[in-house]
Amino acid sequence: MEPAAPPPPSPPSAAAPGSDELVCAQGRNLKAVLCQRCGSRVLLPGAATFARRELLLPAMRKKAAAAAGGGGDVVREHWLVRDMFSFENVGFTRDVGNVKFLVCADCEAGPIGWHCLDDKDSFYVALERVAHE
């Protein structure tokens, strides 16, 4: 009997938030943050801090479907970025009330995060809507 082949490498994923593989002792991201859809790099390692906050994000879908409106998801675990220039690749939607949503600047997948215009120094990227490598 031949030995079993090693399992294929697992794709980048948002493993259990707060786990040792994503958050360092200082609470910062250990791995790069990527778009789940196209793999574009959103944040470099160490660019964000792990934060828990309940936010409602619209469901991820194509632009045409997003224009039709609809439901959303409550997300609780995020990468908190304090300076918009820390992002490698992110786009912002038009204002929706006093909020702008974050999307991948390459493929426009999203929203991957949230920014309130009342707080100029807080950008939240939902862990469950991005990948890590």
Side-chain angles (χ1 to χ4, degrees):
M1 179 186 268
E2 294 181 32
S10 56
S13 65
S19 71
D20 290 338
E21 69 181 65
L22 290 181
V23 183
C24 73
Q26 292 78 29
R28 301 192 75 73
N29 59 310
L30 281 171
K31 298 181 177 189
V33 177
L34 311 173
C35 173
Q36 285 180 341
R37 182 173 171 203
C38 71
S40 182
R41 190 174 306 266
V42 175
L43 290 166
L44 292 174
T49 305
F50 179 75
R52 283 192 170 92
R53 180 174 178 183
E54 252 187 41
L55 298 172
L56 177 65
L57 289 179
M60 288 184 72
R61 55 188 179 257
K62 294 184 178 180
K63 276 183 148 182
D73 303 310
V74 174
V75 291
R76 292 177 178 85
E77 292 161 332
H78 311 272
W79 292 121
L80 173 59
V81 178
R82 293 291 186 183
D83 180 359
M84 70 181 285
F85 296 106
S86 296
F87 288 104
E88 293 295 304
N89 179 29
V90 76
F92 295 88
T93 65
R94 293 185 181 159
D95 297 0
V96 179
N98 68 336
V99 171
K100 284 184 180 276
F101 294 106
L102 282 61
V103 298
C104 174
D106 283 344
C107 71
E108 297 182 345
I112 60 169
W114 182 92
H115 170 65
C116 180
L117 298 173
D118 295 336
D119 184 358
K120 301 288 184 199
D121 299 325
S122 296
F123 303 85
Y124 293 89
V125 178
L127 266 71
E128 67 187 56
R129 298 212 176 170
V130 293
H132 298 86
E133 83 167 1

